[in-house]
Amino acid sequence: MSNFEAQILESEKQVRVAQDKITAITSVIESARTKADQGIEIDVENATLEDVHKHTDVMNANIAELIMGLDDVTAAFSKDFDEMRTKTGWESFVGIFSSGKSESLRQERLRSATIDDKLQDLISKSDVIVKLLQGQLELLNGQKAKVETNLSATLTDRETTVAELEAVRREVAAMDPGLIELENRISVEMDAAARTRLETELAGLNAKHNALIQDEQVKLARSQTLERYIEKGKTWVDSLTNQAATQLVLINKLQTDTRQRVVLYDALTSSLKTAQQQDVAHRINEIGVKTDQEAQAAMAAIGSATNAKMADMLEAHEGNMVFARKILEEKARADERFARRFAAIVEKHDKSSYGG
């Protein structure tokens, strides 16, 4: 992670250097037209556009690597998800003695599990890179607007210069027949005074012609200078546009990746917890079914025992009846014996035949 922090600092440093170079180049191109008005030419060719492009490429590659480096941050999520799916060493150890207690520990751990801190860390690091990219994008767009304004003014200047150049050329072309005619007249003039006047007139026309030629050269040179600045300005605008497009691509990729990761990881955590809750529900259901089965078996056992007792009772009735009849028979015999002895006693009493 410390490597990632160092990478962010290095990228920030590269962005600052790139921004300084871009601002410097824009300033050179922007001031070129102003200096051209004053007759001072700036060496735009050596404005090191190539150096800026090389540094920008290195900077973009480093930022792209930084974005890919976020995978190291997200790798920590995989570890958390694996821990949610599996038991810890302690839970496995407890499971040797009590699977129920082991599951209870795991369920408690899963209920309290959260990846919010890591998600916040991911968002935070993503925001740092996005801020870096947006700062660069704003600078690129700002510089592009400046160069486009300057380019537009330079194009207008060149259009005016070219029009003036064409006007000078037309004026020069219009003088040529007059000069040729004067030269012809001088060559055939025999009068010295008239020839001198013609030569004076020719000298005046030549001076005007030379001034126009000089003006044509100045305007041509200005047109060429402005044309060169225009080409440089177009190249720089194109470069700034491409750089801005690259920044936008990186920003969109980073924001999309981060947004999707936050949603997916949060959903995955919820799913893991739900799966655990469903597992608990299934276990409760299994325990309930088992209890019901045991209750059903117990009820059946109670019914069977009741029936058995009932049968025992009914079967015992026969024994009771036999015993009762036996008692009645013995009682009948005893009553008969008593009746005979009582009759003998009565007879002796009535006959008073005692001792005989």
Side-chain angles (χ1 to χ4, degrees):
M1 194 59 70
S2 59
N3 184 44
F4 190 78
E5 301 289 349
Q7 237 183 332
I8 289 177
L9 293 175
E10 177 60 25
S11 295
E12 287 176 338
K13 181 182 172 185
Q14 288 185 355
V15 168
R16 282 196 297 273
V17 173
Q19 289 179 343
D20 290 343
K21 286 177 180 288
I22 289 168
T23 304
I25 294 295
T26 301
S27 177
V28 169
I29 293 177
E30 195 176 27
S31 62
R33 187 175 58 83
T34 308
K35 296 294 183 184
D37 292 339
Q38 300 170 2
I40 303 170
E41 192 169 334
I42 293 180
D43 188 6
V44 180
E45 298 297 338
N46 293 324
T48 63
L49 285 179
E50 190 177 349
D51 178 51
V52 174
H53 288 158
K54 284 181 181 176
H55 188 86
T56 304
D57 288 342
V58 172
M59 180 197 71
N60 284 338
N62 196 64
I63 291 176
E65 190 177 341
L66 201 62
I67 294 173
M68 298 306 169
L70 279 177
D71 290 344
D72 293 337
V73 178
T74 58
F77 288 100
S78 297
K79 186 180 176 185
D80 287 345
F81 295 142
D82 286 340
E83 288 176 350
M84 288 183 190
R85 291 191 190 96
T86 57
K87 289 183 178 179
T88 63
W90 172 248
E91 288 165 356
S92 298
F93 177 74
V94 171
I96 297 173
F97 306 99
S98 170
S99 60
K101 180 64 177 176
S102 174
E103 281 300 322
S104 175
L105 289 173
R106 181 185 170 218
Q107 290 160 17
E108 183 60 31
R109 178 171 59 83
L110 200 53
R111 271 197 297 272
S112 60
T114 175
I115 59 168
D116 289 347
D117 290 342
K118 284 190 171 59
L119 283 177
Q120 288 303 319
D121 186 46
L122 175 65
I123 293 170
S124 171
K125 284 186 168 50
S126 178
D127 284 347
V128 169
I129 303 173
V130 168
K131 191 176 176 184
L132 205 65
L133 292 169
Q134 282 180 333
Q136 177 71 355
L137 179 61
E138 287 170 7
L139 180 124
L140 291 170
N141 286 332
Q143 298 296 307
K144 180 167 161 281
K146 284 184 179 179
V147 178
E148 283 175 337
T149 302
N150 178 68
L151 179 60
S152 176
T154 307
L155 284 167
T156 302
D157 277 357
R158 184 163 185 257
E159 187 179 346
T160 303
T161 302
V162 169
E164 291 172 353
L165 176 62
E166 293 299 323
V168 170
R169 282 175 172 170
R170 284 195 298 272
E171 195 171 351
V172 168
M175 287 184 70
D176 286 342
L179 287 169
I180 293 170
E181 183 187 355
L182 268 175
E183 285 172 352
N184 290 334
R185 286 172 60 189
I186 289 171
S187 64
V188 297
E189 181 60 56
M190 300 304 291
D191 183 73
R195 186 175 170 179
T196 302
R197 285 196 301 274
L198 290 173
E199 286 177 345
T200 301
E201 187 180 352
L202 178 62
L205 285 175
N206 276 331
K208 185 179 179 182
H209 184 271
N210 290 338
L212 287 171
I213 293 296
Q214 187 179 9
D215 193 24
E216 179 189 11
Q217 291 172 350
V218 169
K219 291 189 183 306
L220 180 63
R222 178 173 170 75
S223 174
Q224 288 178 335
T225 302
L226 291 173
E227 183 181 26
R228 198 153 51 86
Y229 292 161
I230 287 169
E231 291 305 312
K232 277 295 173 190
K234 285 179 181 176
T235 304
W236 191 225
V237 168
D238 186 60
S239 171
L240 292 170
T241 302
N242 290 337
Q243 290 181 56
T246 302
Q247 300 300 307
L248 268 177
V249 168
L250 292 174
I251 288 171
N252 286 334
K253 172 178 170 43
L254 183 57
Q255 288 180 327
T256 303
D257 282 353
T258 303
R259 197 162 42 238
Q260 291 297 324
R261 281 172 174 165
V262 168
V263 172
L264 286 174
Y265 293 169
D266 189 54
L268 180 56
T269 305
S270 299
S271 295
L272 286 171
K273 288 186 177 183
T274 303
Q276 179 66 15
Q277 289 166 357
Q278 288 175 350
D279 185 51
V280 172
H282 284 307
R283 288 176 184 279
I284 291 172
N285 179 59
E286 289 170 2
I287 293 170
V289 169
K290 189 174 180 181
T291 303
D292 291 345
Q293 289 173 344
E294 290 179 355
Q296 186 178 6
M299 291 297 291
I302 292 170
S304 297
T306 302
N307 288 337
K309 284 290 183 185
M310 180 65 73
D312 290 344
M313 182 185 72
L314 295 174
E315 287 174 353
H317 177 71
E318 182 181 2
N320 292 335
M321 291 303 294
V322 170
F323 179 78
R325 287 178 181 176
K326 181 182 176 183
I327 294 299
L328 288 173
E329 288 174 357
E330 288 176 351
K331 179 69 170 56
R333 287 194 295 270
D335 289 344
E336 186 182 359
R337 283 195 301 272
F338 176 78
R340 284 199 303 270
R341 291 172 65 185
F342 186 75
I345 292 170
V346 171
E347 185 179 358
K348 284 180 179 181
H349 174 267
D350 292 342
K351 294 176 178 178
S352 188
S353 57
Y354 303 109

